[in-house]
Amino acid sequence: MNQVIKQLKANLLTGGNKTALIYSNGKSYSYAELEQLSGRVCGWLKQHKVGKEDTVLITLPRGIDIIVAMVGVIRAGACYTVCESSMAPERIRYIAENSECKEILHQKLWEEIISGKDCGEFADPDEHDAAYIVYTSGSTGNPKGVVHEYGNYTESIRGKQFDGQQICKDQDILAINSPLNFVAAVDYIMNALYAQATILLVETAIVKNTGKLMELYENYGVTYTFMTPSLYKSVPAFCSTLQKIQLGGEACVGLYNDKIRLFNSYNSSEGGRDLLLFDIDQKYSATPVGQNRGGEEILLLDENGKPVADGEIGEICFVNHYVRGYLGMPEKTAEVWREGLYHTSDLGRRENGNIVLLGRCDDMIKINGNRIEPAEIETVSKKMLHLSNVVVKGFITEERNFIVLYYSDNVELDPQKAREKLARKLTSYMIPAYFVHIDEIPMLPNGKVNKKVLEAPSAEDFRQEYEAPANELEQELVSLFEQVLELSPIGVNDDFYELGGDSLKTIQLIMEYDSDTLNAQTVFKCRTVRRIANEISLTLEEQQNSGAHVFESPCQKEMEARKHKYPLTEFQINMFDYQLYEPTSTMWNLEDMFSFDRKDTDAERLYQAVKTVTEKSAIFRTRIGFDEFCDMVEYMDEEAVPALRRVELSEKEFHRIKNTLNHPFKMIGSPYIEVTFFQTETKIYLHFLAHHLIIDGMGIAALLSAISEVYKGEEMPLDTFYSFLMDTANMRDGRKYNEARKYFEETYSSEKWFKCLEPDSQIIDHQGAVAPVHIPVTEEKIAEIEKSTGLSRNGLSAAAILLAMAAESGEDNVMLSWVYHQRTDLQKKNAIGLLISQLPIGLTMSKAETLGDIYEEVREKINAGMANSIYDWSLRDATGFDDDMMLLVYEGKMFDWQEISQIGGAPVAMDSQFGSSEEAANIRKMFTMAVEDETGITMNLTYLKNAYASSRINRFKEIAERIASVIFSDADPESISVKELLQS
């Protein structure tokens, strides 16, 4: 057996409770759990006949389950390739096809896999069996797959030896920051598991904030990590536990640390291991990457393939007997693997036996350690930006590495919109920093582009006419701009990003300013000192004018907020009015039930957890009444007792009453949520019944999460529902409120909008019916379409319904409203209550030529709506059934109760859940509720049965089905005519 695989097997079997894997969100697995879970993955693969030379594509979300899957594939003796699910869908789809993967391990399948049987097997692969495929940037517009064999695991372990010792020890906690599809991730994972060390996988958002990254390292006691020099330089102060840092991926200049051992390394996707390693003993103007340390020789060759003398420049070339080349690309493989040597196109020179990197001899560049082929960006840019003459070039300076896109088309690009479009198909590090218009693309006599004459844009090229700061705040921001960007002088109208700002520098700017009045969104939106200063000043002025108290803590703010009364939102008032149409209807009730096995659950502990949460959550004491002006208000009644019951009964008695628990709520002065704790001889049942007037689905999820946390012995997260109410009330009639009102009125008030299918007959009663529109589509395909279009499945569904409304009615201006959850920050995330609002999307069909134009307009309307959501324009003038607007409610998979399932809870199907379909239409003439399951998306067109002729509903359903099928397909939206789509 391969020595590395043999040692991996031994470590899994002997590791026991020692922690093997940690994700920075707190999830962890011991070596025993890793052995068991990876055995189940192996068992599932064996059941599906996956083995030697079969490829498995892993497309799970970033997290330690990806590593579990990798180990499971190794145990099956198969080959894996990883695509974190956040990767661009087009890229994932290409990799799935190119790798000819036999199975795809994705999120929906994962629970089934790890719930299966542990096969207990560990394959004994040949050194030359396919082990893993790493995809790297390709010049054709698609990535290239490098096939590595099992022998390369041995090379990986050998590559991280220094002075005869493994760098990674069993006592190390190794932090991995890179994406798991990178070859470096494979290298570090195998070295850590080989040493029986602990791996800490870091969330991407934390990697970009080096201050929080060091806090994380300190909390977990990280001793060893890998960083690019760029990331290393951005760290404000290193944590006390770090002992070893390996640098690589780009040029290392002037870095040395007398408290932490630094290594400079050289690797590539085609190498699969550290080819060179250098222990940094002092500051170097160009830090060496090391020398041959045994094994295959590293050569420096001249243009004729001959070795160069010491001190002369040559191309770095090496041998790796365990790499097959590029998958399905024999010509490209032959081009770079010549006579058994891989030609890296990296230039180097030997100095005192060590190799020093000097740059590239081709177009490929590295940005923050990421390998990039400019041709790939050029290909995508031509398609996404509708350009024909494009050249992309990378620049490397001491301060930063960046990409420039040059174009000669007779158009003027908006850089921000261009970046947003490219982000649908390119990863973030491939987005150009600058878009530069030139008169013509420079060419060589042989017909190739002459990139050498394209010079790097200077910051001076993007400066505005200098204007000095006009006040103290602007002066402070100018100083911070100059400090972070290392440029001087900077005027108040200069653009932060065009002067060299990026995400790391944005974080640095915010940290230096150190006030909650400045965040990343403000920097990105405002970009200049003047605009940022104006936004900060307005925010401070609003706080002063509102008399808003500055609280010492979120807890103090919430406790104060609970002392006051707040006007109902337009959404609540609208819901209240509809309830009056059918006072006995339970349509607006949210009912959920969960079961627990008594043998696995501590009943008393669970009850106390529920009791604690009901007592601490303000919603259980929230009432609705009238103030002195007879306006409806909601408030917290401190004297009220939460509606929590504990009932003991037999299993038979429980099932007799289970579906009789849903009942109408009194609308004034009574509780709007109640919980019943049922105990039978074998089960515990938690039953929740609440009125939608006071809570939404995500509020219930927050409630269940709180119960789960308390049951596990954690502190209950602070319920911030009344803080939300206070903030909302304070903003009413303020600047942002009036700006929002102005936006909606200017955008929508000048047109007459078609908002809902007009009834065919007079409405006699409110009996409902449902016409389901089903689109068979996989979760993976939906994710691909979301990424390629820049629209969520909510937005895609909105586009389908709007187009169907236009096609059925023949109207040009069509409008619907959609439900917006509003939970966009940590404060709102834990709020147990009703936060949702309705936002409009109005489209004029004649203004759009292609489906791509429709998507762009929907994106703009959704984003602008969310930015102005403080003003609920959709419901301002709504008067019941007389002025209904088509409503889209995207429920997805209804609610994913992961938190409660962690403590043993399982959802129980309720006959009365969400009301019957006959009740559903009581609320309006027509609305659409979209749900997902394993077969696809179903858009339920719910309508008043007696108001519409069946022939008309069938026609609308057929139109919606046809249009939705196009939207959730592989069709290129830029090639689909809106006119033809509406008429066909």
Side-chain angles (χ1 to χ4, degrees), residues 621-649:
R621 293 186 175 88
T622 294
R623 302 291 183 264
I624 290 176
F626 297 91
D627 64 10
E628 62 271 26
F629 303 106
C630 292
D631 291 325
M632 296 183 71
V633 292
E634 56 191 312
Y635 60 94
M636 178 172 163
D637 181 354
E638 290 283 358
E639 304 301 319
V641 177
L644 171 62
R645 292 190 305 149
R646 188 171 187 173
V647 180
E648 292 198 21
L649 71 177

Side-chain angles (χ1 to χ4, degrees), residues 123 299 356 512 702 776:
L299 302 175
V356 176
E512 292 292 339

Side-chain angles (χ1 to χ4, degrees), residues 167-454:
I167 296 176
C168 189
K169 311 286 188 182
D170 61 351
Q171 67 268 28
D172 275 321
I173 297 175
L174 168 67
I176 295 179
N177 307 317
S178 67
L180 293 179
N181 56 292
F182 282 19
V183 72
V186 177
D187 191 24
Y188 282 94
I189 288 168
M190 289 307 295
N191 271 270
L193 296 180
Y194 181 82
Q196 209 177 67
T198 298
I199 295 171
L200 170 66
L201 179 63
V202 182
E203 294 162 275
T204 303
I206 295 178
V207 175
K208 296 177 180 179
N209 186 333
T210 49
K212 288 188 177 180
L213 183 65
M214 287 304 107
E215 287 180 19
L216 181 75
Y217 281 11
E218 189 79 51
N219 290 339
Y220 282 103
V222 170
T223 58
Y224 178 27
T225 192
F226 170 85
M227 292 182 174
T228 62
S230 296
L231 185 62
Y232 177 93
K233 291 176 188 175
S234 69
V235 175
F238 288 97
C239 70
S240 63
T241 61
L242 261 179
Q243 300 168 12
K244 298 166 285 193
I245 300 178
Q246 193 165 326
L247 303 170
E250 60 190 29
C252 180
V253 179
L255 300 184
Y256 172 68
N257 194 316
D258 61 359
K259 294 181 176 62
I260 300 173
R261 192 176 186 188
L262 299 184
F263 295 94
N264 196 20
S265 60
Y266 176 74
N267 194 352
S268 71
S269 296
E270 293 79 4
R273 68 175 178 90
D274 289 331
L275 299 161
L276 298 163
L277 202 61
F278 182 76
D279 193 351
I280 303 176
D281 56 350
Q282 65 180 51
K283 286 187 177 182
Y284 292 87
S285 57
T287 308
V289 288
Q291 55 186 288
N292 295 356
R293 296 177 293 109
E296 301 296 346
E297 190 174 9
I298 311 295
L299 302 175
L300 296 180
L301 304 181
D302 63 17
E303 293 178 355
N304 299 314
K306 303 296 182 183
V308 300
D310 286 357
E312 294 184 2
I313 298 174
E315 181 186 11
I316 299 175
C317 303
F318 62 84
V319 174
N320 189 323
H321 295 296
Y322 302 109
V323 175
R324 298 181 184 179
Y326 299 123
L327 186 61
M329 303 177 71
E331 292 181 0
K332 186 64 178 176
T333 299
E335 179 186 327
V336 294
W337 269 279
R338 303 194 293 273
E339 298 179 358
L341 282 173
Y342 174 68
H343 290 248
T344 67
S345 292
D346 286 325
L347 298 177
R349 178 176 57 225
R350 274 199 178 88
E351 297 178 358
N352 300 319
N354 291 303
I355 293 177
V356 176
L357 289 180
L358 300 173
R360 296 286 301 173
C361 54
D362 64 5
D363 280 346
M364 196 276 281
I365 56 175
K366 285 193 175 181
I367 302 294
N368 296 330
N370 300 301
R371 176 171 165 172
I372 296 168
E373 292 279 3
E376 182 175 359
I377 303 173
E378 292 170 1
T379 301
V380 173
S381 298
K382 287 177 181 178
K383 180 179 179 180
M384 300 298 292
L385 305 180
H386 307 292
L387 299 173
S388 56
N389 302 305
V390 172
V391 178
V392 171
K393 183 177 179 179
F395 293 91
I396 300 174
T397 69
E398 287 190 9
E399 292 78 23
R400 64 183 183 128
N401 304 342
F402 57 94
I403 300 169
V404 181
L405 183 146
Y406 300 88
Y407 65 100
S408 61
D409 298 65
N410 189 25
V411 295
E412 186 174 341
L413 283 182
D414 181 319
Q416 185 55 34
K417 289 185 177 179
R419 292 186 185 104
E420 290 173 359
K421 288 184 177 180
L422 293 179
R424 297 178 216 158
K425 298 217 172 178
L426 297 175
T427 48
S428 58
Y429 57 79
M430 300 174 77
I431 307 297
Y434 300 99
F435 296 83
V436 178
H437 185 269
I438 53 178
D439 293 333
E440 60 181 3
I441 305 296
M443 307 297 289
L444 293 167
N446 63 5
K448 292 185 176 181
V449 175
N450 185 6
K451 289 192 177 184
K452 289 185 178 179
V453 302
L454 294 172

Side-chain angles (χ1 to χ4, degrees), residues 41 49 88 124 195 296 340 594 941 981:
V41 174
K49 310 300 183 187
D124 184 10
E296 301 296 346
F594 302 89
L941 303 173
L981 189 62

Side-chain angles (χ1 to χ4, degrees), residues 374-583:
E376 182 175 359
I377 303 173
E378 292 170 1
T379 301
V380 173
S381 298
K382 287 177 181 178
K383 180 179 179 180
M384 300 298 292
L385 305 180
H386 307 292
L387 299 173
S388 56
N389 302 305
V390 172
V391 178
V392 171
K393 183 177 179 179
F395 293 91
I396 300 174
T397 69
E398 287 190 9
E399 292 78 23
R400 64 183 183 128
N401 304 342
F402 57 94
I403 300 169
V404 181
L405 183 146
Y406 300 88
Y407 65 100
S408 61
D409 298 65
N410 189 25
V411 295
E412 186 174 341
L413 283 182
D414 181 319
Q416 185 55 34
K417 289 185 177 179
R419 292 186 185 104
E420 290 173 359
K421 288 184 177 180
L422 293 179
R424 297 178 216 158
K425 298 217 172 178
L426 297 175
T427 48
S428 58
Y429 57 79
M430 300 174 77
I431 307 297
Y434 300 99
F435 296 83
V436 178
H437 185 269
I438 53 178
D439 293 333
E440 60 181 3
I441 305 296
M443 307 297 289
L444 293 167
N446 63 5
K448 292 185 176 181
V449 175
N450 185 6
K451 289 192 177 184
K452 289 185 178 179
V453 302
L454 294 172
E455 298 181 352
S458 166
E460 300 301 322
D461 297 335
F462 296 90
R463 286 184 184 273
Q464 303 298 313
E465 183 177 348
Y466 179 77
E467 184 176 345
N471 54 49
E472 188 175 334
L473 177 56
E474 287 186 353
Q475 180 61 63
E476 181 181 5
L477 289 170
V478 163
S479 298
L480 290 177
F481 267 44
E482 291 176 345
Q483 176 186 330
V484 170
L485 297 173
E486 298 181 0
L487 289 174
S488 182
I490 290 178
V492 295
N493 298 313
D494 288 325
D495 188 295
F496 180 77
Y497 294 99
E498 290 184 344
L499 293 184
D502 55 24
S503 58
L504 288 175
K505 293 187 188 307
T506 302
I507 292 166
Q508 186 181 347
L509 182 73
I510 294 166
M511 289 173 65
E512 292 292 339
Y513 188 71
D514 193 25
S515 169
D516 59 7
T517 56
L518 182 63
N519 53 42
Q521 185 178 6
T522 298
V523 179
F524 190 76
K525 176 184 175 182
C526 298
R527 304 176 76 93
T528 70
V529 163
R530 173 131 304 159
R531 291 199 293 266
I532 293 172
N534 285 342
E535 184 64 25
I536 291 173
S537 297
L538 288 169
T539 301
L540 291 170
E541 184 180 338
E542 284 175 351
Q543 291 176 352
Q544 292 174 349
N545 290 343
S546 67
H549 181 72
V550 178
F551 297 97
E552 294 181 3
S553 68
C555 182
Q556 185 193 48
K557 178 179 179 180
E558 177 65 23
M559 294 306 106
E560 177 62 30
R562 293 180 182 185
K563 299 175 183 177
H564 305 282
K565 296 180 179 180
Y566 301 96
L568 298 194
T569 65
E570 298 296 335
F571 191 91
Q572 288 176 302
I573 293 171
N574 187 259
M575 195 182 301
F576 193 96
D577 288 344
Y578 274 114
Q579 181 73 63
L580 295 182
Y581 277 97
E582 293 285 336

Side-chain angles (χ1 to χ4, degrees), residues 31 44 160 318 445 465 512 580 637 684 703 758 810 943 967:
Y31 269 90
W44 188 90
K160 279 189 170 43
F318 62 84
E465 183 177 348
E512 292 292 339
L580 295 182
D637 181 354
I684 298 168
L703 173 65
E758 290 299 319
Y943 60 97
I967 286 175

